[in-house]
Amino acid sequence: MMRKATLMIVFGVVMLIGACSPIYRNHGYVPLDEDLAKIEVGKSTRDDVAAAIGRPSSTGLLEGSGWYYVGSRWKTVTWHAPQEIKREVVAVSFTNNGVVSNVERFGLEKGHVVPLSRRVTESNVKGIGFIRQLLGSIGRVSAGQVLGNN
């Protein structure tokens, strides 16, 4: 009888510890740096990009403004609501002829959009407002904080 009670207590403790373990989920798709290295700025076309890393989940609102790959990581602990802990955006911009002009990776740091990596042929980043919108909802950061409108 004592042995059964001990087993039940051990089982209960194991279940309790297991219930407190965080659960992580990934949503979306962000290409790896190795895959992005296959894209040559100034040479690769839209078809080359699609073959190397696939078609994006989001595109720019204007024709030819770019392709956007968005990925996020969520953490859930016990009964609490899931919390987004990371979001990245990879932006691939094209010229009017459909040739890659920029390949950039963005993330958030202290509520501000920051470039994590960049291969560009021109200094003007197209679609930065769209990227801010994609990154603006992470965690408790509001779009106003991301845009600098505190």
Side-chain angles (χ1 to χ4, degrees), residues 75-125:
K75 177 182 175 182
T76 305
V77 180
T78 62
W79 63 86
H80 295 88
Q83 193 176 39
E84 188 173 29
I85 57 174
K86 181 180 179 184
R87 184 179 294 184
E88 284 188 8
V89 175
V90 169
V92 180
S93 301
F94 300 94
T95 64
N96 291 337
N97 298 333
V99 177
V100 174
S101 62
N102 300 328
V103 177
E104 301 167 283
R105 183 182 300 270
F106 296 92
L108 279 183
E109 185 174 307
K110 296 182 182 175
H112 297 285
V113 176
V114 293
L116 301 176
S117 66
R118 183 177 273 174
R119 291 186 291 146
V120 297
T121 56
E122 56 188 60
S123 60
N124 185 15
V125 179

Side-chain angles (χ1 to χ4, degrees), residues 50-76:
I53 60 176
R55 296 220 173 252
S57 57
S58 300
T59 59
L61 300 175
L62 302 173
E63 182 63 33
S65 64
W67 287 1
Y68 302 96
Y69 300 84
V70 183
S72 59
R73 185 164 175 86
W74 293 77
K75 177 182 175 182
T76 305

Side-chain angles (χ1 to χ4, degrees), residues 5-22:
T6 304
L7 285 175
M8 292 300 282
I9 291 172
V10 169
F11 180 74
V13 169
V14 168
M15 292 300 290
L16 185 62
I17 290 172
C20 295
S21 299

Side-chain angles (χ1 to χ4, degrees), residues 23-44:
I23 298 171
Y24 295 94
R25 293 179 303 157
N26 296 317
H27 292 275
Y29 166 68
V30 177
L32 300 172
D33 286 333
E34 301 87 54
D35 296 331
L36 290 174
K38 298 173 187 173
I39 300 170
E40 295 183 53
V41 175
K43 291 185 180 181
S44 297

